[in-house]
Amino acid sequence: MNFLGSLKSDDGLKAIDTSNRNIEILDAGCGTGLVGIVLKQKGYQNIDGSDLSERMVEQALSTGVYNFLESGIDLTKKNEAYENNQYDATVCCGVFTLGHVPPTALSELIRITKPGGWIVVSTRKSYYDSTNFQEVCDRYQQEGKVKLVNHVKDSPYISEEGAHYWAFAVC
């Protein structure tokens, strides 16, 4: 999660200051809470989590790092649990993988993230190679919804496969 903390606005883009450890963050697809633990270790204080699986959320609850946790959250549709422009940053790691969510699930992350806020996403290399993730990202940029601020290709993820990491500023 050094990736989140390193984000800065550029080209006149007014963006939320990620060095402020009090920003409100959603760990979307939090699973057992590993990302939340790292965010807390980095000093972030206001972390919420969501996941489709109730069992995963139960495990995430045991970490003690989340202010609010919600299960049954399907990123492929609008979730009434979250308001428009609710979070300063939304982190989504390990969700954009084959068999989980389509690239268009980014639209829900955009909806719940404040203008000037950050969306940080990981995509497994196999997911990126076999979906239209790039096309969807390009379309959302052309529509003025987000701006790609950083993209790291082929970085470590799991022993079997690398991942791409994406940082978008919400417009």
Side-chain angles (χ1 to χ4, degrees):
M1 293 292 59
N2 286 337
F3 195 52
L4 175 66
S6 70
L7 297 175
K8 308 242 183 292
S9 52
D10 68 340
D11 297 332
L13 180 71
K14 187 173 180 177
I16 289 167
D17 180 6
T18 58
S19 69
N20 176 356
R21 296 308 194 237
N22 290 314
I23 62 172
E24 295 181 13
I25 301 173
L26 175 65
D27 180 2
C30 66
T32 60
L34 295 176
V35 169
I37 291 169
V38 173
L39 287 168
K40 190 66 129 184
Q41 289 170 344
K42 298 287 181 190
Y44 293 102
Q45 300 300 310
N46 299 311
I47 309 165
D48 292 346
S50 68
D51 202 279
L52 184 60
S53 167
E54 186 175 337
R55 295 182 104 176
M56 292 288 193
V57 168
E58 287 172 6
Q59 290 183 354
L61 182 61
S62 70
T63 66
V65 302
Y66 296 98
N67 296 337
F68 176 78
L69 278 163
E70 185 74 33
S71 64
I73 299 297
D74 181 348
L75 294 177
T76 65
K77 50 182 114 167
K78 182 177 180 180
N79 293 284
E80 299 301 325
Y82 302 106
E83 297 176 19
N84 293 346
N85 310 320
Q86 184 170 344
Y87 289 97
D88 297 311
T90 301
V91 177
C92 193
C93 294
V95 177
F96 286 90
T97 61
L98 294 172
H100 279 71
V101 298
T104 53
L106 276 172
S107 65
E108 180 64 357
L109 303 182
I110 294 167
R111 182 187 72 79
I112 62 176
T113 306
K114 295 175 184 175
W118 299 101
I119 298 173
V120 175
V121 174
S122 69
T123 58
R124 283 194 186 187
K125 188 175 179 325
S126 59
Y127 178 89
Y128 178 81
D129 292 342
S130 61
T131 67
N132 65 338
F133 192 84
Q134 184 67 58
E135 179 185 315
V136 170
C137 292
D138 292 345
R139 184 173 73 237
Y140 290 160
Q141 288 185 86
Q142 290 167 356
E143 293 172 354
K145 294 179 179 180
V146 293
K147 179 180 179 185
L148 181 64
V149 176
N150 197 350
H151 178 206
V152 179
K153 289 185 175 183
D154 297 323
S155 286
Y157 184 70
I158 57 174
S159 59
E160 298 86 16
E161 178 176 23
H164 302 314
Y165 296 90
W166 309 76
F168 300 96
V170 177
C171 300

